[in-house]
Amino acid sequence: MTMTESDDVCREGCDVGAILADEDQVAACARANMAALVAELVERGCDEPWAGLEDGEADDEWPDCLQFSFECPPGYEGDIVMPGVPLEVVKGGEKGGSWEVVHNGVAYAWGDLVDELSAFDAARRTIWANRDRLVAELVGRGLRLGEEDVNSDADASGDSWVTYHLALEGRGVRVSIPDVAVGPGLAQEMYVEGYPYVWEAAVEAAVGALTDIKPGR
């Protein structure tokens, strides 16, 4: 990230050039901006992201920035490269400008990043709600599934679904759950062992894979 002449001016009383000349101020601004990002995402309804605010590191590849470990939602590991300039300067930047925020190697204007992270968080929470609904239905049908019996498979998952492996007494089944609500009366499909089913058929297929009960019996 390089500073243009227009950046090196006072914005709302902030002398960006003076801040960039002081490594401590750069680090303080970057950490304050990360805290502001977390707060804004929580305001948008996200589960509180995890950010390594005390562990930000300078990198020659990203001058005048700090790189932070970041999880949004918690458990989805990534990183943020945050500019060490006042927040109003970062928020004032446009896509392709000098002070974009870099998430997992992709540069974003502030608002675009907040929008994308908020949407991703909402999608994950929908998937988790679908998973919990499915497990509760299976438990309600007598299958003794515990938390330890339900595990996600990152290699078999995608941008809009998560594949879970359900295990019970030596049997197992893979269920791919989408980021759109599934449940009784809903038309959205999920995949059981690679085959698409709506809710009731998916439940019966999972029961059949995990027990001796066959669908329709």
Side-chain angles (χ1 to χ4, degrees):
M1 295 183 184
T2 58
M3 182 176 68
T4 66
E5 290 182 4
S6 62
D7 291 322
D8 192 16
V9 295
C10 293
R11 300 190 188 186
E12 299 182 14
C14 297
D15 186 341
V16 176
I19 291 171
L20 295 179
D22 184 334
E23 291 183 358
D24 290 339
Q25 288 194 64
V26 168
C29 282
R31 289 192 169 91
N33 294 344
M34 279 299 300
L37 176 62
V38 169
E40 190 163 334
L41 290 168
V42 171
E43 287 179 3
R44 292 280 291 267
C46 296
D47 289 341
E48 184 168 355
W50 180 87
L53 295 179
E54 301 304 319
D55 301 324
E57 297 182 352
D59 190 318
D60 291 340
E61 183 179 356
W62 306 106
D64 305 320
C65 301
L66 290 184
Q67 184 170 6
F68 298 88
S69 298
F70 182 73
E71 298 181 9
C72 182
Y76 282 79
E77 297 180 358
D79 60 73
I80 291 276
V81 177
M82 182 63 74
V85 295
L87 182 59
E88 61 266 26
V89 179
V90 179
K91 284 190 171 184
E94 300 295 331
K95 181 68 177 176
S98 300
W99 299 114
E100 294 175 309
V101 183
V102 178
H103 177 234
N104 292 346
V106 179
Y108 295 86
W110 180 276
D112 292 340
L113 177 61
V114 171
D115 287 345
E116 177 150 321
L117 289 173
S118 298
F120 182 77
D121 180 272
R124 296 302 102 171
R125 285 187 285 115
T126 297
I127 290 172
W128 297 336
N130 288 339
R131 174 203 62 198
D132 293 346
R133 188 176 301 116
L134 174 63
V135 171
E137 179 69 21
L138 295 174
V139 169
R141 297 194 181 202
L143 280 66
R144 297 183 178 181
L145 289 167
E147 288 186 10
E148 69 279 4
D149 302 316
V150 182
N151 295 287
S152 61
D153 183 347
D155 292 335
S157 300
D159 292 337
S160 60
W161 76 91
V162 173
T163 296
Y164 289 91
H165 184 263
L166 282 59
L168 182 67
E169 298 177 354
R171 297 173 181 258
V173 64
R174 292 179 304 157
V175 182
S176 296
I177 299 179
D179 60 5
V180 179
V182 298
L186 299 179
Q188 176 62 45
E189 294 175 332
M190 52 184 168
Y191 284 73
V192 180
E193 292 296 341
Y195 293 96
Y197 299 93
V198 294
W199 176 258
E200 184 62 31
V203 171
E204 289 193 3
V207 170
L210 293 171
T211 70
D212 291 324
I213 301 173
K214 300 306 177 185
R217 289 176 58 185

